[in-house]
Amino acid sequence: MSPAPEHRNPLAHGLFVFAAAAIVLGLLGLVWSDFAISWQRVGPDVPHRLALARLAAVIELGCGLGLLWRRTARAAALLLTALYAVFSPALDFARRRPPRHLRQLG
C-alpha cells in the first residue's frame, strides 16, 4: 500500500493562475510598449504614459515570476497589490474625467 499523498493547499492553484496572468500581462506590455489590455483606459494625455506602461509591465512580469518562488512570493504579492491599488483608482478617475475637447472649453 502506498503512503498517503501529501495534502496541498487548495489555494496554490489560484496562486499559479495569478502568477501566470501577471506574467502574460507583463509580456504583452513589454512587447507592445503599451499598457496591457486591463489598463488600456489610461489615456494618451497622461504624462510619461510610455514610461509608466513599461514600468507597469516590468513590475507585473517580475512579480509574476516572483510569485512562483516561496522566498519572494510575499514581496511579489504585496508589490502587485500596490500596483493594482494605484491603477484601479486612476482608471476610475480617468473614466470620470470629461473628454479633452470639453476640458478645453472651461
Side-chain angles (χ1 to χ4, degrees), residues 13-31:
H13 296 294
L15 181 67
F16 288 125
V17 170
F18 185 50
I23 291 167
V24 168
L25 287 175
L27 288 173
L28 288 175
L30 287 175
V31 167

Side-chain angles (χ1 to χ4, degrees), residues 17-90:
V17 170
F18 185 50
I23 291 167
V24 168
L25 287 175
L27 288 173
L28 288 175
L30 287 175
V31 167
W32 287 324
S33 293
D34 197 2
F35 284 96
I37 297 164
S38 57
W39 309 123
Q40 278 296 324
R41 292 177 281 187
V42 176
D45 56 338
V46 173
H48 308 291
R49 185 179 189 281
L50 182 61
L52 285 173
R54 288 181 179 160
L55 178 64
V58 167
I59 291 172
E60 282 184 316
L61 178 61
C63 289
L65 293 171
L67 286 172
L68 299 176
W69 285 280
R70 181 177 284 230
R71 183 176 285 180
T72 58
R74 181 175 291 177
L78 288 172
L79 191 54
L80 271 178
T81 300
L83 177 72
Y84 296 153
V86 166
F87 276 105
S88 294

